[in-house]
Amino acid sequence: MGVDEVGAVADGELAAYLAAERRAGGPGAREVGAVEMRRRQRQRVVGGPAGPELAEVRDLLVAGPAVTVSPIPVRLYRPTLDPLPLVVFLHGGMWTIGGLESHDRLCRRLALAARIAVLAVDYRLAPEHPWPAGPDDAAAAFRWAAEHARELSGAAGPPAVAGDSSGGHLAALTCLRMRDEGGPLPAAQFLACPNTDLTLSRPSTRDKAAGWGLTTDAVAWGVANLLPDVARRADPTVSPLFAADLSGLPPAVVVTAEHDPLRDEGDEYAARLAAAGVRVRHRREPGMIHGFLSMDRVAPSAAAAADRFFADVADVRYD
């Protein structure tokens, strides 16, 4: 990435952030490994700002997808105790890092800005728990949330599902599984910079491979942790973009970022949803990079892009 390309980002603060990241260099996720990546993330969370205060933040346990599986930790966020729509949130982190603490501030901001109740899911991570542990946990947590929606948020009806990055992948898979397994179908799906093609074969994985924050190699490392069997990554039950039929899925918001290796697979998934007759609101954020939902303290442009996504979440349920 050259100097001119740095200037193509949305504002000077974001350009400075990327320039600092490039100067810092150092080993990538593959070399560092999952344990160290998680330790570094915990350090950032501890040293970072807290999210807004809400009327209720409560930790719960959800029955796992089988009797032999440990319960799934979840965290409920309610900006008010009045009845509100419920959204099940699946965090990003290359299926390998992340959890309730890493996305606590984001979930608080989302709940407050969109006036929704958010149920964050601490699904099992790879490589300790490879495919299909994470997707199974996501589906089990969603089904549980649908059964308990009124007691969780005060509102009846199925929840929506949301996710960023690899969490967007799990959210999209949850919609497909609910459709194919007889529901309950989510009320909507909100996908921010989602993984939809685990073969990583779209042009942006090459054009934006390095120098823009998230690297294609880091994503490939995460994919290998989740699903070591390369031959299975094009399976439509693994990569939503390869599903032959996307009809009958919930209304969708799909937001991608211009300078993101995952950009093209997200854009293409939105186009395929629309072609299948699904109501889609799609936006590619110009000059933006991956992970902008959690970068409001980094750059005003990232904060504004996140606010637009939160507004989408608030709006789509009532269109």
Side-chain angles (χ1 to χ4, degrees):
M1 181 176 65
V3 174
D4 291 343
E5 290 179 295
V6 173
V9 297
D11 61 21
E13 289 87 346
L14 198 57
Y17 168 83
L18 287 173
E21 288 280 302
R22 294 184 67 218
R23 287 194 301 271
R30 188 183 301 277
E31 292 75 28
V32 169
V35 172
E36 176 62 13
M37 288 287 288
R38 292 167 188 162
R39 186 192 69 81
R40 293 181 182 184
Q41 185 179 63
R42 287 194 296 271
Q43 277 191 323
R44 290 193 297 271
V45 171
V46 170
E53 291 292 327
L54 302 178
E56 181 182 24
V57 177
R58 179 161 49 109
D59 288 348
L60 303 162
L61 290 174
V62 173
V67 293
T68 57
V69 175
S70 298
I72 305 165
V74 298
R75 181 171 293 168
L76 177 66
Y77 301 86
R78 298 178 70 182
T80 172
L81 298 184
D82 295 334
L84 292 174
L86 177 64
V87 176
V88 175
F89 183 84
L90 301 160
H91 68 80
M94 300 173 290
W95 306 276
T96 302
I97 63 174
L100 298 182
E101 300 307 324
S102 68
H103 283 61
D104 180 76
R105 186 166 184 274
L106 171 56
C107 287
R108 289 170 181 268
R109 291 168 54 224
L110 172 61
L112 186 63
R115 301 298 292 173
I116 57 171
V118 173
L119 187 74
V121 181
D122 197 10
Y123 57 87
R124 287 171 291 168
L125 299 176
E128 296 87 346
H129 303 285
W131 183 275
D136 283 353
D137 285 359
F142 176 81
R143 288 193 182 96
W144 181 87
E147 292 172 1
H148 297 85
R150 187 179 292 278
E151 63 192 81
L152 291 169
S153 69
V161 65
D164 65 316
S165 193
S166 55
H169 167 255
L170 296 181
L173 285 183
T174 297
C175 291
L176 286 162
R177 286 181 66 164
M178 294 303 105
R179 182 198 66 179
D180 296 342
E181 296 174 6
L185 197 66
Q189 53 183 319
F190 305 110
L191 314 178
C193 300
N195 297 84
T196 66
D197 172 14
L198 272 61
T199 70
L200 302 180
S201 58
R202 267 51 200 173
S204 60
T205 62
R206 299 183 294 275
D207 300 340
K208 305 293 181 180
W212 300 98
L214 178 69
T215 68
T216 298
D217 186 67
V219 180
W221 168 77
V223 170
N225 288 336
L226 176 71
L227 189 59
D229 185 354
V230 175
R232 292 196 59 199
R233 296 174 190 170
D235 189 308
T237 64
V238 171
S239 292
L241 191 57
F242 292 101
D245 179 16
L246 295 179
S247 64
L249 291 173
V253 167
V254 183
V255 178
T256 60
E258 179 182 0
H259 302 305
D260 181 1
L262 306 185
R263 179 195 67 204
D264 291 350
E265 61 197 78
D267 289 348
E268 190 173 340
Y269 193 63
R272 287 209 52 222
L273 286 170
V278 176
R279 182 158 51 91
V280 178
R281 182 180 298 183
H282 172 226
R283 180 175 61 260
R284 178 194 288 184
E285 287 286 353
M288 193 47 58
I289 65 173
H290 189 87
F292 64 83
L293 286 185
S294 298
M295 298 179 69
D296 59 298
R297 299 294 292 260
V298 172
S301 60
D307 286 344
R308 286 188 287 273
F309 182 79
F310 299 158
D312 289 332
V313 175
D315 292 344
V316 164
R317 294 184 62 80
Y318 305 108
D319 281 354

